[in-house]
Amino acid sequence: MPFYESDGFTPETSVGYLTKRIQQLAAQRLEPVFAAAGTTYLQWSALVAIWWGREMTCAELARAIAHDSGATTRLLDVLEEKGWVERRRSLEDRRVVKLVLTQAGQAVAKECRATVAECWNGWLIDWEKEEAAMLLTLLQRLRTTLETTEAPCA
């Protein structure tokens, strides 16, 4: 039995809308955190994706942060100018260029990560630990469903 019915499907009941809106609001609230560290939300997202993705390509990064590939190249130019990212040719295939965080890039990513965790702790202050853990479990489950579903939604 489906969860949604067309008549009851509104922004306030849409998982897609609510998750997108939460992401937008969090990004807006976090921009000052990133500005203090000399970066932006988008730049930090790229640093973290590279940090956790380990030696990804520009195309892989663009997919990881849901960003246009041309704009990702320009983003990487900025990160490289700041000394936070290096482009390195793959030893296995010289045509492939891998992205690697420098020590300075790792330091910025870690510094911002600590502050972001503090912000989320503040936003979740009125939540029971079990509620926050359940939210994460459900979001991870939904992500897995979307990542493993091959067919279009119809």
Side-chain angles (χ1 to χ4, degrees), residues 88-98:
R88 292 186 187 160
R89 291 237 174 252
S90 169
L91 298 176
E92 295 82 33
D93 185 345
R94 302 267 310 139
R95 296 170 296 177
V96 176
V97 177
K98 298 287 188 167

Side-chain angles (χ1 to χ4, degrees), residues 36-91:
T39 191
T40 66
Y41 181 80
L42 180 59
Q43 291 171 358
W44 182 72
S45 296
L47 291 175
V48 170
I50 296 167
W51 185 20
W52 292 103
R54 303 282 186 231
E55 295 191 3
M56 57 179 32
T57 65
C58 182
E60 291 166 337
L61 175 62
R63 284 189 295 277
I65 63 173
H67 206 54
D68 174 81
S69 60
T72 301
T73 298
R74 291 185 295 280
L75 171 64
L76 285 170
D77 291 342
V78 170
L79 296 175
E80 198 171 33
E81 287 172 21
K82 290 183 175 204
W84 295 344
V85 172
E86 291 179 355
R87 291 175 168 115
R88 292 186 187 160
R89 291 237 174 252
S90 169
L91 298 176

Side-chain angles (χ1 to χ4, degrees), residues 23 66 70 124 149:
Q23 188 275 330
L124 295 171
T149 301

Side-chain angles (χ1 to χ4, degrees), residues 145-154:
T145 298
L146 291 171
E147 287 175 344
T148 58
T149 301
E150 295 180 22
C153 57

Side-chain angles (χ1 to χ4, degrees), residues 135-148:
L135 175 63
L136 286 177
T137 298
L138 294 172
L139 289 171
Q140 290 164 351
R141 181 176 168 193
L142 180 58
R143 179 198 59 203
T144 299
T145 298
L146 291 171
E147 287 175 344
T148 58

